[in-house]
Structure formats: C-alpha cells, structure tokens
Amino acid sequence: MRHIDHKNVVKRMGSRMILNKTFKAIFFMATLFALLSLAILFYRIVSQGIGFISIDFFTNFGSRIPENAGIVAALVGSLWMMAVIAPVSLILGVGSAIYLEEYAKKNKLNDFIRMNIANLAGVPSVVFGLLGLTIFVRALALGNSILAAGFTMSLLILPVIIVASQEAIRAVPKELREASYGMGATKWQTISKVVLPSAIPGILTGGILALSRAIGETAPLVVIGIPVIIQFLPDNLLSQFTALPMQIFDWAKRPQEAFQSVAAAGIIVLMMFLLIMNSIAVVIRNKFQKRY
Amino acid sequence: MVQVNLNKPQLKETTDSNQNVNMNNIVYDTKQLNLWYGNHHALKNIDLAIKENEVTAIIGPSGCGKSTYIKTLNRMVELVPSVKTSGQIIYRDRNIFDSDYNVEELRTRVGMVFQKPNPFPKSIFDNIAYGPRIHGIKNKKTLDEIVEKSLRGAAIWDEVKDRLHENAYGLSGGQQQRICIARALAIEPDVILMDEPTSALDPISTLKVEELVQELKENYSIIIVTHNMQQAARISDKTAFFLNGEVIEFDQTDTIFSTPSDKRTEDYISGRFG
Ligand SMILES: Nc1ncnc2c1ncn2[C@@H]1O[C@H](COP(=O)(O)OP(=O)(O)OP(=O)(O)O)[C@@H](O)[C@H]1O
Ligand SMILES: [Mg+2]
C-alpha cells in the first residue's frame, strides 16, 4: 500500500509551481515598495534642502531670515545630549542585562520582569517625556537642561539596549562559560573575560542603533520643554540647549515657504548624523567579529 | 593484582600505616550519591572509590548519567539550576558538598576536558594562560613557562610553537582538543576529568589523545567517559559500567572486558544493547 500517488503528484505540480512564483512576486513587490518610498523621500528632501547646505548653515544660529538660519546650536546640543545618553544608557542597560542573564534566578518574578522590560520598549516616547518632566525636570529640579533631556532619552532607549544586550549575552556559547568555570574562574571573571568580550559586538550594535533612535526623537523633548531659539552654545551639563529634531520641527512649522527648505537641510544633517552612527555600528561589528 | 598481593606483606607492618596508604591512594570516594534534575532521578546511590594515578573509564549507554557523574565531581553540574544532590563525594579527605567548600578551589585542583573542543576565541597563548591568569599569575616569564610546559604536556608544542599568538579557532579539531587539554594542565591540577574527549575527533587525533592520556596518568588521576569500548579497554586501568543512573559494575578493566560478573555488563560490552 503506497501513500504517495505519483500520478497525482505530477498533476498537482503545475499549481504548486504557480503558487511558488506568486509568493516570490509578492515578496519582491513588498521590498520594492519599501525601497521606492524611501528613494522618493530621500530625493524630495535632498533636492529641497541641498541648496541651503553651506558652511554658514553649520556655523550660524537660528534666524528669522531663512537665508541666515543655521543649525550650530542644535548640532552642538545634540552632541552634548549624546555625551549624556551614551554612557548612562550603556552602563545601566548592559548592567541590567548582565544581572538578568547571569545572576537573576529563573523564577516567575524574574520572568515577569524580563517580559515587561521587553514591553517597555514599545511604550510611546511621549510617555517617557512625561516621566522625564516629572522626575528630572521637576522633582530633581534639573530644569530643561542637557542633563534632564539626556536622562529622559536614556530611559527611553534603556529597554532596547537591555533586550539587545541580553540577546548578545545569551548568544555566547555555553561551552565557553563551562570552560571558564571548569578552571576555577569565579562568575565575575567568567563574565568579564569570556562572556562580555564575545557579546560586545552585539551589545554595541544594539546600543548604537538605540542611540540613533534617541538622536531623532522629538516628542520627549517637546514635553520636557526644550526651547528652540537658542543663541548660544551650551557650556555645561545644566545649560539650556536645543537639539536637531526640535530645530527641524520648528522650521517645518513656520509659514514662510523658504523655511521648508531650511527644514529639509536640517533633515539632511540629521540623516548624515544617523548614517555615521550606523556605519560606526557596522565597523565595530566587523572589527570584533574578525577576531573570532 | 598479583603484584599488589605480593606487596601487601611489606605494608602490613602496622595496621595504621596500611590504612593510611589506602586512604591516600583514593582521590575520589563517592558515597551514596543521588542526583536529581528536578524530578528526574539521574544518579542513584552511586558508590565509587577512584584511585590516584590511574585511568578510570566510565562506560554505559546514552543517557545513563556518565556526564552527570563526572560533572558532579567538580560540581559543574550545579550550573543547571534544578539540580539537587544527596550523599557525599570525598575528594582528598573532604566532602565537596560541605557548605563551606569553595567550588573555585575544587575546580582549580580538578581540571576538565569537554566532549566538544571549546577553546576561547583568543590566541593559543591566551587560551593556555587563562587559568593561571585568573588565579593571579601576571609575570610574563612565569606565564611563558607555564604555556610551554602545558603545551608540551599535551603533546602539541611542536605543532603550535611558531603560532602561539594566532587564534586557536584556526586549529584543527584534534589540535583544538589538545589545546583544551593543555589549558586544563596549565592550572596544574591533581585530577583531570574528560567527557568523551575524542568523540569529535578523527582516528589519528584520537590516537594522539589516547597516547597522551597514558602519559598523563604518571602525574595525574584521570577519569574519562567514553562510548568507545575499545578505547576504554586500551587506556583505562579500571572501568565503571553505568546503567540508568546506577553503577552496575566497577572493576579492573581487564576483568570487566573478559569476565564481567553482571549479565548486563556482558550484554553491553558485547554490543547487545546500548
Ligand atoms: N540539564 C538537564 N536537565 C534535565 N535533565 C538532564 C539534564 N542533563 C541531563 N539530564 C538527564 O539526565 C540523564 C543523564 O544524562 P547524562 O547527560 O549524564 O547522560 P550520559 O550518560 O552522559 O549520556 P551520553 O552518553 O548521551 O552523553 C538523562 O536522562 C538526561 O536526559
Ligand atoms: Mg554525556
């Protein structure tokens, strides 16, 4: 008794092939659609904004006259903010990930915590803005300073960094840990000499992608009241400042037609910023992976 | 056996010294060891006395608890959170389950070689120096000496001496496994545990590791898990046969392979099951 009737198989072969091709076409169209929208967006922004990109644009402060408007305050402000976000979010994020993966016992409570950290990554950024307003701006009286904004943004991207680091740590082969423990290494020696070196490419890639998200976020900055018109460069962490997305947002909502193009120029700068960060992530990943 | 009998009268001078000699001969004395993974009773009332400077082979069908047992000897099994144990394992006069027993210290005295070669993604030198470094040796010259001695001890010095600073992942599987043995030797252990160290290796590399085990037993006590009956017969002095978490038979290797006393041992070694 045979279960597969080969005549039948041949008869159905045609329709199977058609289905196969159809799905291939659907997936191709989906990719094409995404790429096309991206290309149009890119073209529109660049063609509109490129005329305003000049040395003056990088050295001037904001201005009422579109031709004089520059981005220096926002660019420097974003860099300052990054200087707060990067260490704070990486130290807290990697620390929590190490705790959750290596130290926390596998029980219901810890499973619940793990699950909710992943969920936190999906909370709208405006909610983090409100949190920052309550805690950093008001309760800790940091005002609308670089520090307050940096802490708020750190909170926003912390869940993403924790989850990415957890995954990188979990991907370190069990055999390597066993080898280390087997020679009498303590847990901390094993973590610092075996687990982290192997996990670092994953942690940094996730971390830098999270940081680029923080650079582009606007809502939390609006909520904690970051000003737009700033005619000086910040000189310490408690200075007032403005940031790239705030500046772009402000230009985009002005009525004069010319400011739309200034906004486009600002977006070009922001995109370059993100591109550089993502390239750094790629370089780090390749550099570290070559060693294994 | 005959020799031991001949020697006995000499040792019998005083009962006391005789007992001492016996005590000191035993590295690992397992008494009524039970182990559970959650509810699964993986080791049942194990009694085994393992002598020093011998090769003790552990054989048995898949899933009978061989790996579990040798991982218990250096308490690596406790990395599995659900593990519970009862009974005693006396290592050199102390029960390793004592609450104040320091596992890191135990694992410094008892090296382990795993089934799959697991070098670190570091240079050959850094692999071997890992153990000494975590135990606080920083002096470059001392490290150089340890690395050379360990690599020679694992019979791989000549193959790698010109590429010590290359990544260990660039070596063949058999070389990697000998690097792992060298890495275990670098902590100057007393006992070496090996869990199927040749199962991932080709016949020639296997032979090299087997020869190495023969040399190492001069200075170390070796406990080796193997699925390969010929290997157990070739290299071990004593053999323990495990089945379903129990020790069915433990005796001189010659006896186990020629005149086993238990029917199940005979069935297993003659390939009737497992
Ligand atoms: N981490 C674990 N959690 C739960 N049960 C386990 C775990 N590891 C092993 N066991 C169970 O314990 C029993 C003994 O396993 P062990 O790995 O010691 O067998 P083994 O004799 O080494 O087998 P093999 O020859 O296949 O390596 C098996 O039934 C196995 O399913
Ligand atoms: Mg096993």
Side-chain angles (χ1 to χ4, degrees):
Chain A
M1 152 101 200
R2 299 179 60 169
H3 293 279
I4 296 191
D5 177 352
H6 284 268
K7 270 201 210 103
N8 226 333
V9 169
V10 172
K11 217 163 59 195
R12 292 193 49 224
M13 196 59 94
S15 63
R16 280 165 59 187
M17 285 307 179
I18 290 173
L19 205 61
N20 198 22
K21 290 212 179 85
T22 315
F23 271 102
K24 184 175 163 192
I26 290 174
F27 295 139
F28 177 72
M29 297 296 275
T31 315
L32 199 66
F33 181 74
L35 284 178
L36 218 60
S37 339
L38 211 66
I40 292 171
L41 188 76
F42 207 72
Y43 174 74
R44 205 193 80 94
I45 299 284
V46 171
S47 62
Q48 192 180 9
I50 199 80
F52 276 85
I53 300 267
S54 64
I55 298 194
D56 283 349
F57 186 66
F58 285 97
T59 54
N60 284 4
F61 286 95
S63 166
R64 247 176 253 261
I65 307 153
E67 283 70 27
N68 290 346
I71 205 163
V72 66
L75 193 57
V76 173
S78 277
L79 286 171
W80 273 83
M81 195 170 71
M82 189 61 31
V84 175
I85 303 175
V88 171
S89 63
L90 281 175
I91 291 170
L92 289 181
V94 177
S96 320
I98 291 175
Y99 177 76
L100 290 173
E101 285 304 310
E102 300 284 334
Y103 291 93
K105 294 222 162 56
K106 304 268 177 275
N107 58 27
K108 287 243 166 64
L109 177 69
N110 284 320
D111 283 347
F112 182 75
I113 292 175
R114 282 191 188 94
M115 202 176 73
N116 279 291
I117 286 176
N119 288 342
L120 271 184
V123 170
S125 58
V126 71
V127 177
F128 282 97
L130 287 171
L131 188 70
L133 181 68
T134 321
I135 301 178
F136 303 122
V137 178
R138 302 224 172 107
L140 298 181
L142 295 175
N144 50 5
S145 62
I146 295 171
L147 208 55
F151 284 163
T152 307
M153 287 297 195
S154 301
L155 280 190
L156 170 72
I157 61 171
L158 204 50
V160 181
I161 293 189
I162 294 176
V163 172
S165 308
Q166 275 183 294
E167 264 154 30
I169 289 172
R170 219 174 298 150
V172 178
K174 179 172 117 276
E175 288 78 15
L176 294 186
R177 292 165 211 260
E178 286 180 343
S180 175
Y181 286 127
M183 275 180 284
T186 59
K187 191 157 211 163
W188 171 240
Q189 286 175 321
T190 304
I191 292 173
S192 63
K193 297 192 174 183
V194 175
V195 177
L196 285 183
S198 296
I200 258 175
I203 291 176
L204 286 184
T205 316
I208 289 175
L209 291 180
L211 285 178
S212 36
R213 179 176 170 209
I215 280 293
E217 274 292 344
T218 324
L221 299 178
V222 174
V223 175
I224 62 177
I226 298 305
V228 186
I229 297 156
I230 289 274
Q231 298 292 338
F232 56 88
L233 293 182
D235 54 10
N236 67 62
L237 289 177
L238 291 172
S239 294
Q240 282 204 325
F241 77 110
T242 190
L244 287 172
M246 287 302 294
Q247 184 72 72
I248 292 165
F249 178 55
D250 177 67
W251 283 331
K253 61 179 195 200
R254 295 201 187 192
Q256 297 103 307
E257 186 62 33
F259 268 114
Q260 300 309 312
S261 301
V262 179
I267 292 172
I268 295 176
V269 172
L270 183 61
M271 286 199 307
M272 271 162 30
F273 205 114
L274 297 182
L275 207 68
I276 291 171
M277 289 189 54
N278 288 355
S279 317
I280 293 174
V282 172
V283 169
I284 288 176
R285 197 171 47 203
N286 291 346
K287 180 173 180 294
F288 277 94
Q289 271 172 354
K290 257 185 230 143
R291 283 175 42 206
Y292 303 137
Chain B
M1 283 310 272
V2 182
Q3 265 185 349
V4 172
N5 282 337
L6 282 177
N7 280 339
K8 251 193 180 147
Q10 286 173 319
L11 293 170
K12 252 191 189 153
E13 287 167 353
T14 69
T15 342
D16 258 296
S17 81
N18 189 17
Q19 263 175 359
N20 265 338
V21 166
N22 275 337
M23 285 260 305
N24 292 338
N25 264 338
I26 305 289
V27 256
Y28 262 121
D29 200 0
T30 305
K31 293 176 180 168
Q32 287 297 302
L33 174 71
N34 282 281
L35 184 143
W36 293 264
Y37 289 108
N39 291 325
H40 177 65
H41 198 173
L43 295 177
K44 300 167 191 157
N45 298 323
I46 308 279
D47 281 300
L48 268 187
I50 291 168
K51 282 176 93 179
E52 68 180 6
N53 295 81
E54 281 194 344
V55 177
T56 305
I58 296 178
I59 60 169
S62 193
C64 66
K66 305 179 297 293
S67 299
T68 303
Y69 178 65
I70 78 162
K71 280 194 282 182
T72 311
L73 294 178
N74 67 351
R75 290 183 52 185
M76 288 284 281
V77 76
E78 290 168 21
L79 294 181
V80 180
S82 64
V83 161
K84 300 265 175 321
T85 51
S86 75
Q88 290 188 320
I89 297 180
I90 312 290
Y91 167 65
R92 301 272 183 207
D93 303 338
R94 272 193 75 195
N95 181 6
I96 64 168
F97 294 124
D98 278 352
S99 57
D100 61 342
Y101 204 104
N102 184 315
V103 284
E104 283 81 21
E105 199 184 309
L106 174 69
R107 291 171 191 160
T108 312
R109 308 272 285 131
V110 182
M112 186 154 194
V113 177
F114 299 83
Q115 175 165 359
K116 235 175 77 198
N118 57 351
F120 297 121
K122 302 174 189 277
S123 72
I124 295 170
F125 186 94
D126 288 341
N127 262 280
I128 312 298
Y130 183 86
R133 279 187 179 135
I134 58 174
H135 297 297
I137 293 174
K138 293 202 183 78
N139 185 300
K140 177 84 173 70
K141 217 169 133 257
T142 318
L143 286 175
D144 282 342
E145 278 168 25
I146 294 176
V147 168
E148 178 169 349
K149 189 173 137 214
S150 310
L151 288 169
R152 282 190 191 282
I156 192 172
W157 171 251
D158 290 329
E159 286 160 71
V160 300
K161 63 171 185 267
D162 298 322
R163 46 196 290 203
L164 289 180
H165 295 283
E166 283 173 34
N167 197 305
Y169 276 23
L171 299 172
S172 76
Q175 288 173 326
Q176 287 187 11
Q177 191 63 305
R178 278 178 291 145
I179 290 291
C180 293
I181 295 175
R183 188 175 60 183
L185 297 183
I187 54 172
E188 299 180 351
D190 172 32
V191 182
I192 303 173
L193 308 173
M194 298 182 161
D195 191 354
E196 298 183 44
T198 61
S199 65
L201 306 186
D202 65 284
I204 292 173
S205 308
T206 300
L207 202 68
K208 285 201 176 137
V209 172
E210 285 184 10
E211 282 167 7
L212 183 57
V213 168
Q214 288 301 306
E215 285 165 30
L216 292 175
K217 86 174 199 189
E218 304 286 324
N219 299 307
Y220 306 90
S221 313
I222 295 171
I223 303 166
I224 182 169
V225 171
T226 176
H227 267 289
N228 181 332
M229 235 67 72
Q230 284 84 23
Q231 183 170 70
R234 274 195 299 267
I235 66 176
S236 70
D237 301 293
K238 294 250 176 61
T239 297
F241 172 56
F242 276 57
L243 186 63
N244 295 329
E246 287 175 272
V247 179
I248 302 299
E249 200 169 342
F250 177 50
D251 211 328
Q252 298 294 128
T253 298
D254 294 345
T255 316
I256 292 271
F257 283 94
S258 56
T259 49
S261 55
D262 196 292
K263 177 78 169 55
R264 289 168 293 182
T265 315
E266 195 184 327
D267 286 350
Y268 181 70
I269 59 175
S270 58
R272 267 192 282 267
F273 73 87

